[in-house]
Each structure stands twice: as structure tokens, then as C-alpha cells.
Amino acid sequence: TMQSSGHRFRDVEHHPLLADNDTYDSSSSEADMAERVWFIRDGCGMVCAIMTWLLVVYADFVVTFVMLLPSKDFWYSVINGVLFNCLAVLALSSHLRTMLTDPGAVPKGNATKEYMDNLQLKPGEVIYKCPKCCSIKPERAHHCSICKRCIRKMDHHCPWVNNCVGEKNQRFFVLFTMYIALISAHALILCGFQFFSCVRGQWTECSDFSPPVTVILMIFLCLEGFLFLTFTAVMFGTQIHSICNDETEIERLKSEKPTWERRLRWEGMKSVFGGQPSLLWINPFAGFRIRRLLLRAKKGGPEFSV
């Protein structure tokens, strides 16, 4: 602990605010970070994110070309095809918003005397500095070793979205798990109907593919659908439980005693999803400004925050 500007400053390793060879990058300010495209350069995460897209595209291929197009029931094909593809687009859009949205990163190297003077801290107030990214650590923030940043209300780092799930992108992550669970359940139901139809018709005219190929494609889709449904449904339930209890997964695992005033369950939902209940809650495109993105591209292309 050290005395500075009338308040106490703490960190795990008892570092000073900034060493002589440390610098604070003013380009990492909150306003500037909001104008950047967020992307994590992590090999494992990028592979997992690409795999997620490929598995969704595979499911869409099997559902559309193996099960629906060869069907003799026109309305059955149209209704299920439109529904499945709409859910797939919503799932992949939610994935992109989760991956490319700043989860609530604290600017690197903001632990300067000038910055803390602007905080107008009360005498004797204790603040914490992260020794890894040299930033003032807000309450409920945790350092992510993969993002190399402190993340506000960090829930966990998910390789499938190649990003942390935190204060600013938790809503999109919840939508991603919900839509993946829905398309997985839909695919399993369609597989059940298709197997019944093929067996009843002795595998003739039930698909444009040969019976062995059809069986292999559908079995793999069933395995994929079951695994994804189980994983995402559990994750969706866990996220909703955390939001309602105003407690992140890290806080729950560490059994941290809350030093903050917990929100009521409904208030927690409104805080994460934004405002009163509406269709915007389940819309991953809400708040997206393509015009702003294009203007940034004209100025020299998107910048990567990480």
C-alpha cells in the first residue's frame, strides 16, 4: 500500500503507479476504444470460431439439400427451410457481435497520477492496479490472460467466440447460445421425421443422395445437434442464472462475497438486454451502425483493439 494524492493505492505486487519506462497510451482511451473494431489474435480461438461457422454451414447444407429440397411436401420444405435459415443467420450474427464487440476492456496503462486525479477519489479510498496490464482495476473487473486486458464484469473467456464474455457483449453471447440451441433442436426434429420417412419409403426417393451417404450425413448431423444442444442449452441456462443473480461465473467459482449492491432479477435482465422487454432483446442487429463502420473504413480501415 502506498499513499498518493490523498488516497491509498493497492495491487498484488505493490507496484508504483507507473514505472519510469512505462507509458500510458492515450489512444487507448474509452472514447477511442469505442471507435475500434475489437478482435483477439488468438490462434486457438480463431480456429474454434471458424469451426463454429463450418458446423452451422454443414447443418444448413444437410437440412436444406438432403432433407427439405427432395421432400414432396412443398409447404413442409418452405416453412422449415425459412425457419431454419433465419435461425442460422441470427445465430451467426450473434456470434459475430460477441466476437467483434469490446467486452468491457479497461484501457491499458491508465494507472497514472493525472488519470487518478481526474477520478476525484475521496481521502483514504483504496483503489487497485493490475500489475499485468498496468491499469486501474474497477470493481468486479478481472484480468484475462488471453485478451491481456482487465475486463469489466468478466464472466469467462470463450474460445468458441474468440473473446471474453463481459459487461458489453454478454447479451450477444446469450443470444448466440439460444439460437444455436434452437437450430440444434430443429435439426434433430427434422432428422427424426426424415428417418421415419426414409424407413417407411424403404429409402427410395427420400433423398437425392444414395442411402449410405444420406445415413452418414444425417447421423453426423444428429451427433452434432445433440452435442451443441446440450452444451448451448446448459450455457444459456447458466448465463440467465448469473444475470438474474447479478453474479459472474468467475465470482461464483471464487465464492466472492459481493461488495456491490445486487440488482433485482428483473433489473439485471433489463441491464444486460437494454430497457423494457421488446423484440430488440432477441435482435442481434440492435445497435449496429453499418454507416459508422463504412465511414471508419474510408478513413483507413478498421483498427484492431487487441
Side-chain angles (χ1 to χ4, degrees):
T1 305
M2 63 173 289
Q3 204 74 18
S4 177
S5 301
H7 63 267
R8 290 178 291 167
F9 185 87
R10 291 180 181 173
D11 65 32
V12 178
E13 299 181 13
H14 305 288
H15 285 188
L17 300 184
L18 277 177
D20 293 337
N21 59 346
D22 287 333
T23 58
Y24 172 51
D25 183 8
S26 60
S27 64
S28 296
S29 65
E30 296 282 0
D32 187 61
M33 285 171 62
E35 294 297 319
R36 294 185 177 186
V37 175
W38 181 267
F39 185 77
I40 303 298
R41 294 186 179 92
D42 175 57
C44 176
M46 288 188 283
V47 169
C48 288
I50 292 171
M51 283 181 58
T52 301
W53 275 67
L54 291 178
L55 288 170
V56 172
V57 170
Y58 169 81
D60 189 64
F61 168 79
V62 176
V63 167
T64 303
F65 294 97
V66 178
M67 293 189 280
L68 296 181
L69 288 182
S71 175
K72 296 179 180 180
D73 190 331
F74 175 76
W75 289 111
Y76 171 83
S77 299
V78 170
I79 293 173
N80 282 287
V82 170
L83 178 60
F84 188 89
N85 281 278
C86 285
L87 290 174
V89 169
L90 290 169
L92 294 178
S93 300
S94 301
H95 183 273
L96 274 179
R97 292 300 300 273
T98 308
M99 181 169 62
L100 301 179
T101 299
D102 175 4
V106 180
K108 285 183 179 179
N110 68 352
T112 63
K113 186 177 183 300
E114 179 185 2
Y115 180 84
M116 287 191 299
D117 288 340
N118 292 332
L119 294 177
Q120 298 180 345
L121 299 166
K122 298 177 182 178
E125 186 175 349
V126 177
I127 58 175
Y128 295 87
K129 170 194 167 184
C130 176
K132 297 177 181 177
C133 58
C134 199
S135 62
I136 303 267
K137 199 170 185 179
E139 186 178 41
R140 305 186 70 183
H142 294 274
H143 186 87
C144 175
S145 58
I146 298 175
C147 295
K148 296 180 176 60
R149 302 291 278 273
C150 282
I151 309 294
R152 293 185 179 89
K153 288 184 66 177
M154 176 181 168
D155 189 85
H156 68 287
H157 185 95
C158 179
W160 295 103
V161 297
N162 189 34
N163 201 0
C164 273
V165 177
E167 184 177 65
K168 295 183 179 179
N169 68 346
Q170 187 174 25
R171 168 175 169 260
F172 302 122
F173 182 75
V174 172
L175 293 182
F176 167 67
T177 58
M178 181 183 75
Y179 286 124
I180 289 293
L182 288 175
I183 63 173
S184 298
H186 192 191
L188 288 173
I189 293 170
L190 290 176
C191 281
F193 280 116
Q194 188 71 11
F195 272 119
F196 178 76
S197 174
C198 288
V199 171
R200 187 178 59 180
Q202 297 181 350
W203 296 93
T204 57
E205 300 181 1
C206 77
S207 175
D208 293 337
F209 295 84
S210 64
V213 174
T214 301
V215 171
I216 291 172
L217 290 173
M218 290 175 60
I219 287 177
F220 188 79
L221 178 61
C222 286
L223 291 174
E224 177 192 342
F226 178 76
L227 291 174
F228 268 67
L229 175 60
T230 303
F231 174 76
T232 54
V234 170
M235 185 59 71
F236 175 79
T238 302
Q239 288 294 303
I240 296 297
H241 181 267
S242 296
I243 293 170
C244 290
N245 287 342
D246 195 13
E247 182 182 49
T248 66
E249 188 66 16
I250 289 179
E251 291 164 351
R252 188 185 67 81
L253 292 174
K254 290 185 175 182
S255 299
E256 294 183 2
K257 293 182 180 180
T259 57
W260 62 94
E261 184 178 352
R262 285 187 172 178
R263 296 188 181 98
L264 298 175
R265 292 185 177 183
W266 196 241
E267 291 301 319
M269 292 290 288
K270 289 194 292 184
S271 172
V272 171
F273 289 93
Q276 295 296 327
S278 69
L279 290 177
L280 293 177
W281 277 25
I282 59 173
N283 179 13
F285 300 103
F288 181 69
R289 299 288 183 269
I290 190 168
R291 185 178 178 184
R292 176 188 276 179
L293 189 64
L294 291 174
L295 287 173
R296 266 183 265 159
K298 289 181 180 179
K299 291 179 180 179
E303 298 177 36
F304 294 100
S305 293
V306 176

